[in-house]
Structure formats: structure tokens, C-alpha cells
């Protein structure tokens, strides 16, 4: 089941905020129902867990961007590093190490020189920091594929984040300022001290930059040593320090083997409970109400125009070009709507122009074919005219009424024959709006044969026809299909001009899947494979200059495709050529409407 995007936005925001509010309210309840010291410990654990989650989300987001960047670098179209560096203000440099044999070698590196210059740090110092914390592939693997190291040098606090690709063939190393993580550790409750250490106890992030610059090792500190030795993911303990009695809490970051440590004076327990309870309830409730209202409003604003665009796109996909949507805003969605309207109008304009140009091209090629057939048609009309003249002369000398009627009958038959020939010629030559109807293929082919029979025979060729019985009807334009067959037959007749055997065979048959196949075969000189590949290109012709337009087969292919059919050629040099046209059978409903019979229920 597809959930609309507006509901997804509301559900996601509501779920996150309800979870956050539940955590805060639970924490506040525990603060008022437990003794103050236990409340303080719970608060510190909660704070440590929250900070650990923020560190994990931050590191995971950065790792995903780095691995995506590394994957793009390995593709044919490489992504430039500039967008990655510009999008992350704390990112100073990136390296990519690729496996080569049994070891890793650096295959890519870049630095943000402008950002380093703004910090007053030369790029050479960044390279020194990299050398001070070299890539340790084994340590990265032990850390689950993600390792964060303190690579600070004097005047530059720096973290080295190493991430191994899922296939283990690449390691991306980023030089990052601790500021991105320091923002979370800066917002501390009461007089707490929160910081991040690695698996060896070396400080990675601390509000005091000097602690990070000095690579402070707190592995033996009373707040850190139990954490490194513990197998638990979080916990709390009390300890004595030079600053007095303190409460320490920790939480493991679920990646890279890091620990968030929170220290707090034990005496802060009473004030901490009161402040945290009030802040938790107030903050969670206010954020929940405001964000829910805004999420509903924003989701509706985003989703409704997209739904309208989706409906209009569906209309365009069905061929309804020219539809438009209302532009209700001046933002990105409004710009998208304007672009959609321009695209829709342009598609409609182009469709009209293409249809008009296609009809003109078909008519032009039709008239060209008529020119070639004129000699044969003149001979065809001449025969009945000779009969009419002869019978009229004989009729002038008849002696009885019966003889006169007989001559009139013969004159009428020849006149009807000549009229039919001329009518067929006019019907074929007349421009038409192609209206598709159910057709008998054999009758359509016979009509084309009658138009080109004498032209073929004048060239000395023998015309052979074979019509299969029981063929299904097809949905199409008889006039346009006859034009295709005339083009193919005339091309076949031209191909046999200089051959001894001249046989043109036109046949119909049943093709697989209930389709109808029309074949036009000649015994001409044939064609090479190169010629066959170019055959259906516009303006390509093998005829001498001035004897062909090069559009006949291109137009024929267009007509066949408009009939949802296929046209193909098979030819061998010296052995002739065979053109085949395959057309789908007409749907039963179309056949019924064409015949005037309602389809069966």
C-alpha cells in the first residue's frame, strides 16, 4: 500500500517528537519520584546517551557522504570534490585509499585551500597532521569499518575520520574540524564536563580546545579508566578527584569504538533535578505542538501541487497534450508548474506540426508513385476505349434493334471498366485524413495489385499473387496500406530491370500470434548488408540521380508503424529481395463496429 508523502511527513515528525517527548517526560517523572542522587546519575546517563546518539548520527551522515563520494570517483563520470567540500564547512580535506595487491595506496586527495587559508593554516600543516595520524587499515577493520582519530597539530584542532567501503576495497579518510561535534558538547547541563574519547582513552572532542590540541590521554583518569575496562554500553559511577567527589556517566557510540564521558560534581544533584524537570516538560511540549502544526501545514503545501502535477502528467502520458496546471505560488513548485505548462504546450505544438508534415510527406510520395504508374494506367484505360470506339463504329451499321442493344451493352461494359480504373486512380491520389477501420487484407492487396499490374508487365516482369484464406481483419487505412504495397512493388520492378528472370510475387499469409503477413518478393539484383542497414533512412536511394526521392521506404515504414505493425527486408546480392509487412489483427470490438454488429457481452 502506497502512503502519500504528506502523511509520511506528518507521521515521521509526529513519531520523532512523541518519542522525544516520551523520553523527556519519563526523565522528569523519574527525577521527582527517585532520590536526588539517583536522579542525577540517571540524568547524566541520559545526557551521555543523547550525546552519543548525536555523535553517531553526525559521524554516520559524514561517512555516508564520503562513501557516496568515493563510489562516484570510481565511476566513469567522476564527481568533482568542490561540492562536497563546499557543502560541509567543517571538512578540510579528503583522501581515498584503494586496495592494490595486499596493501592500500592513496589514489585521490584534495584540500580546501580557501578554508585552510581562512583559518590561517598552510596546506603543508594539514599534510603534517595526516602523517601524524597515518591510515591504519587493520585498526579501521577492528573498529567496524569506521575510525575517528585525534590528528591535531599546534594551532589546528583536527580529527581524522576513516571509513571503509562495504566491499573492503576502499578507505575514505576525511580531515574534519572538531567543531561539528563540539556544538553538541558545548550545551551542557549545570557544571558538567562532557567529552569524547577513543578506545585508548585519548580525547577526541572537548569544550576546551587545548585539551584536544594536547592529545590529552585520560585512560588512567578515574572517570575514564572504568569505562575502558567495562563491557557495558552505558553506565554511571562515583569517584574521587582533585576537584572533589564527582559523578561520572558514560555511553558507548555504536560505531568506531568511542565513548562519551560526562562528569558532574556530586553536590549538583538537587539543583539538577529541579532544573531538568522543568526544562524537559516545557521544551518537549512546546516543540511537539509547534512542530506538529507546522508539519501538517508544510506537508499539505508540498503534497497538493505534486498530486495535481501527477494527474496532469498521467493525462500527457495518454496523449492529451496541451493540458495545463494553475501556477499558485512563486516558489520552486510554482516554477515547476510553469515549466510543466511550457512543456505541455510545446508537445502539443510539435505533435500538430509532425502530423501535418507526415501527411504532406505521405501525399507527396503517393503522387510520385502515381507518376511512375501513369504509362501502365494509360495502357489500361486505352484498351476499353478502343473497344468503345470499335463497337460504336460497328453499331452505326446494325440492321436490327437486337444487334444495337448488343453493341450498346459491350460499349457500356468497356466504359464501366475505364471508369473503374480512373476512379481507383482518383481515390488513391486524393489526400485523406487517415481514419482507421477494419479491413480485409486480401481485398486491400488486390486493390494495390490492380494499380501496378500493367506497370510491372510493361517492364517485362511476371506478376504472381497468392492470397491465404481465413485471414483475420486488420485495423488500418486501406489507402495508406495500398501506398506501402505500391512502393514496395515498384521498387521490386525497378530492381529487376537488368535481370533475366523477372518475377514479382505478392502474397498474404497468417503470421504467429494471429497476425497477418504481406510479402513482396522480387528476383532482382539484391542488396548488400550495408545498403539494407540504410534502406529506411529518409532520402537514401539506390536509384540513379533524378529517378528517386529516397522517401518511399521511409514513408512506408512510418505508415506501417502508425498501424502498430512491422516492416522488414531480407536480401542477398544476385538472389533478389523480400519485403515483409506484419500487421496485428483488429480487436474484436473494432471488427464488430466496422461490420455494424454489436460485440457479444
Amino acid at each position: 500500500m502506497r502512503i502519500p508523502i504528506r502523511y509520511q511527513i506528518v507521521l515521521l515528525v509526529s513519531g520523532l517528537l512523541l518519542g522525544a517527548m516520551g523520553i523527556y517526560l519519563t526523565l522528569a517523572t523519574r527525577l521527582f519520584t527517585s532520590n536526588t542522587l539517583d536522579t542525577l546519575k540517571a540524568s547524566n546517563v541520559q545526557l551521555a546517551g543523547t550525546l552519543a546518539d548525536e555523535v553517531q548520527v553526525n559521524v554516520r551522515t559524514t561517512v555516508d557522504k564520503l562513501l557516496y563520494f568515493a563510489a562516484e570517483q570510481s565511476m566513469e563520470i567522476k564527481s568533482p570534490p568542490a561540492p562536497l567540500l563546499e557543502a560541509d564547512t567543517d571538512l578540510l580535506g579528503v583522501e581515498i585509499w584503494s586496495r592494490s595487491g595486499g596493501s592500500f595506496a592513496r589514489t585521490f586527495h584534495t584540500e580546501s585551500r580557501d578554508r585552510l587559508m581562512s583559518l590561517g593554516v598552510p596546506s603543508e600543516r594539514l599534510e603534517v597532521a595526516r602523517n601524524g595520524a597515518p591510515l591504519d587499515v587493520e585498526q579501521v577493520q577492528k573498529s567496524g569499518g569506521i575510525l575517528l582519530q585525534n590528528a591535531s597539530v599546534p594551532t589546528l584542532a583536527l580529527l581524522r575520520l576513516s571509513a571503509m567501503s562495504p566491499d573492503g576495497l576502499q578507505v575514505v579518510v576525511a580531515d574534519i574540524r572538531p567543531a561539528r561535534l563540539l556544538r553538541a558538547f558545548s550545551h551542557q547541563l549545570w557544571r558538567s564536563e562532557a567529552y569524547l574519547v577513543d578506545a585508548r582513552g585519548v580525547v577526541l572532542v572537548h569544550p576546551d580546545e587545548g585539551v584536544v590540541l594536547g592529545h590529552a590521554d585520560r585512560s588512567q583518569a578515574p572517570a575514564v579508566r572504568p569505562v575502558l575496562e567495562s563491557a557495558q554500553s552505558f553506565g554511571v559511577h562515583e569517584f574521587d578527584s582533585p576537584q572533589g567527589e564527582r559523578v561520572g556517566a558514560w555511553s558507548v557510540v555504536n560505531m568506531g569504538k568511542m565513548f562519551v564521558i560526562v562528569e558532574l560534581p556530586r553536590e549538583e544533584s538537587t539543583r539538577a533535578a529541579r532544573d531538568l524537570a522543568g526544562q524537559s516538560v516545557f521544551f518537549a511540549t512546546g516543540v511537539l505542538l509547534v512542530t506538529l502544526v507546522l508539519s501538517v501545514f508544510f506537508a499539505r503545501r508540498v503534497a497538493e501541487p505534486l498530486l495535481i502535477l501527477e494527474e496532469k502528467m498521467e493525462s500527457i502520458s495518454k496523449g492529451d497534450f496541451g493540458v495545463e496546471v494553475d501556477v499558485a505560488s512563486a516558489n520552486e513548485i510554482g516554477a515547476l508548474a510553469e515549466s510543466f505548462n511550457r512543456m505541455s504546450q510545446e508537445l502539443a505544438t510539435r505533435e500538430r506540426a509532425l502530423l501535418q508534415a507526415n501527411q504532406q510527406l505521405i501525399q507527396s510520395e503517393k503522387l510520385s508513385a502515381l507518376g511512375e504508374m501513369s504509362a501502365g494506367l494509360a495502357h489500361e484505360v486505352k484498351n476499353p476505349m478502343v473497344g468503345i470506339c470499335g463497337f460504336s463504329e460497328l453499331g452505326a451499321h446494325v440492321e436490327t434493334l437486337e444487334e444495337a442493344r448488343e453493341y450498346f451493352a459491350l460499349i457500356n461494359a468497356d466504359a464501366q471498366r475505364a471508369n473503374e480504373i480512373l476512379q481507383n486512380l482518383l481515390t488513391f491520389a486524393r489526400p485523406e485524413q487517415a481514419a482507421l477501420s477494419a479491413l480485409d487484407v486480401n481485398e486491400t492487396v488486390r486493390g494495390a495489385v490492380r494499380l501496378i499490374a500493367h506497370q510491372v508487365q510493361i517492364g517485362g516482369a511476371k506478376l504472381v499473387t497468392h492470397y491465404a484464406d481465413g485471414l483475420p481483419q486488420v485495423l488500418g487505412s486501406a489507402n495508406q496500406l495500398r501506398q506501402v504495397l505500391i512502393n514496395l512493388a515498384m521498387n521490386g520492378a525497378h530492381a529487376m530491370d537488368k535481370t533475366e528472370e523477372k518475377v514479382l510475387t505478392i502474397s498474404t499469409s497468417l503470421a504467429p500470434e494471429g497476425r497477418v503477413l504481406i510479402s513482396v518478393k522480387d528476383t532482382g539484383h539484391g542488396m548488400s548488408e550495408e545498403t539494407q542497414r540504410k534502406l529506411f533512412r529518409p532520402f537514401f536511394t539506390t536509384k540513379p540521380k533524378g529517378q528517386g526521392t529516397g522517401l518511399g521506404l521511409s514513408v512506408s515504414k512510418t505508415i506501417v508503424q502508425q498501424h502498430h505493425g512491422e516492416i522488414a527486408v531480407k536480401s542477398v546480392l544476385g538472389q533478389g529481395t523480400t519485403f515483409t509487412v506484419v500487421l496485428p489483427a483488429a480487436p474484436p470490438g473494432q471488427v464488430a463496429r466496422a461490420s455494424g454488429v454489436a460485440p457479444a457481452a
Side-chain angles (χ1 to χ4, degrees), residues 49 185 256 258 329 405 568-569 590:
F185 289 85
M258 296 177 289
S329 61
R405 287 177 177 174
V569 60
Q590 295 286 351

Side-chain angles (χ1 to χ4, degrees), residues 430-449:
R430 184 182 301 117
E432 66 168 355
Q433 295 295 327
L436 303 183
S437 60
L439 303 175
D440 185 321
V441 175
N442 286 340
E443 286 301 319
T444 302
V445 176
R446 286 190 182 98
V449 169

Side-chain angles (χ1 to χ4, degrees), residues 69-382:
F69 175 75
E72 285 193 329
Q73 293 301 315
S74 63
M75 296 171 63
E76 293 183 1
I77 302 178
K78 297 187 176 181
S79 172
L84 176 67
L85 296 175
E86 293 173 358
D88 195 334
T89 57
D90 295 324
L91 187 61
L92 301 180
V94 179
E95 296 175 290
I96 299 178
W97 294 72
S98 304
R99 186 184 294 276
S100 177
S103 61
F104 280 79
R106 188 169 74 173
T107 58
F108 174 87
H109 69 94
T110 186
E111 302 83 30
S112 178
R113 297 183 180 273
D114 292 341
R115 198 164 293 153
L116 289 171
M117 185 178 299
S118 67
L119 297 173
V121 178
S123 58
E124 292 79 9
R125 188 168 297 176
L126 178 61
E127 195 64 31
V128 172
R130 289 173 172 173
N131 295 333
L135 173 64
D136 188 344
V137 177
E138 182 177 357
Q139 191 64 29
V140 174
Q141 292 174 333
K142 290 181 179 180
S143 301
I146 298 175
L147 178 63
L148 192 64
Q149 299 171 278
N150 187 344
S152 301
V153 293
T155 71
L156 178 61
L158 188 68
L159 298 178
R160 293 267 285 170
L161 177 60
S162 303
M164 180 172 287
S165 62
D167 56 9
L169 298 179
Q170 286 183 318
V171 177
V172 190
V173 185
D175 303 300
I176 305 173
R177 296 175 59 201
R180 62 169 54 220
L181 299 177
L182 187 59
R183 297 186 189 101
F185 289 85
S186 298
H187 300 287
Q188 303 167 16
L189 298 177
W190 316 301
R191 292 187 297 164
S192 63
E193 179 185 11
Y195 51 93
L196 179 69
V197 300
D198 62 16
R200 298 176 300 172
V202 177
V203 176
L204 299 174
V205 180
H206 194 282
D208 184 357
E209 190 178 51
V211 177
V212 179
L213 290 173
H215 295 260
D217 184 358
R218 295 196 174 182
S219 59
Q220 299 303 316
V224 179
R225 185 177 67 253
V227 176
L228 301 180
E229 298 172 353
S230 176
Q232 297 180 353
S233 59
F234 64 92
V236 63
H237 65 283
E238 299 180 46
F239 60 91
D240 293 328
S241 71
Q243 294 82 20
E245 294 183 347
R246 298 176 71 84
V247 176
W250 80 87
S251 180
V252 177
V253 179
N254 293 326
M255 59 171 60
K257 292 187 178 180
M258 296 177 289
F259 306 88
V260 172
I261 310 295
V262 179
E263 298 181 36
L264 184 72
R266 195 173 186 273
E267 63 187 23
E268 291 288 334
S269 58
T270 304
R271 188 175 65 182
R274 183 178 62 253
D275 293 344
L276 183 59
Q279 293 177 9
S280 299
V281 175
F282 178 78
F283 177 76
T285 304
V287 170
L288 177 64
L289 293 177
V290 173
T291 310
L292 277 179
V293 173
L294 292 177
S295 65
V296 172
F297 175 76
F298 177 73
R300 181 175 297 176
R301 293 266 301 180
V302 171
E304 287 184 355
L306 295 179
L307 291 175
I308 296 174
L309 278 175
E310 181 183 9
E311 293 176 1
K312 300 301 182 181
M313 287 296 293
E314 184 69 22
S315 299
I316 286 183
S317 68
K318 295 178 180 178
D320 186 13
F321 302 125
V323 297
E324 294 187 358
V325 296
D326 294 332
V327 180
S329 61
N331 55 18
E332 288 82 356
I333 294 180
L336 178 61
E338 291 178 350
S339 299
F340 173 86
N341 292 339
R342 288 195 298 271
M343 178 195 71
S344 180
Q345 292 300 326
E346 183 67 19
L347 287 174
T349 302
R350 292 186 181 185
E351 183 191 33
R352 290 192 294 269
L354 285 174
L355 289 176
Q356 183 178 3
N358 187 52
Q359 291 299 326
Q360 292 175 351
L361 189 61
I362 291 174
Q363 181 65 15
S364 174
E365 188 60 26
K366 184 189 298 183
L367 296 177
S368 176
L370 281 174
E372 291 191 53
M373 293 186 298
S374 59
L377 291 172
H379 185 273
E380 181 74 4
V381 174
K382 182 180 179 181

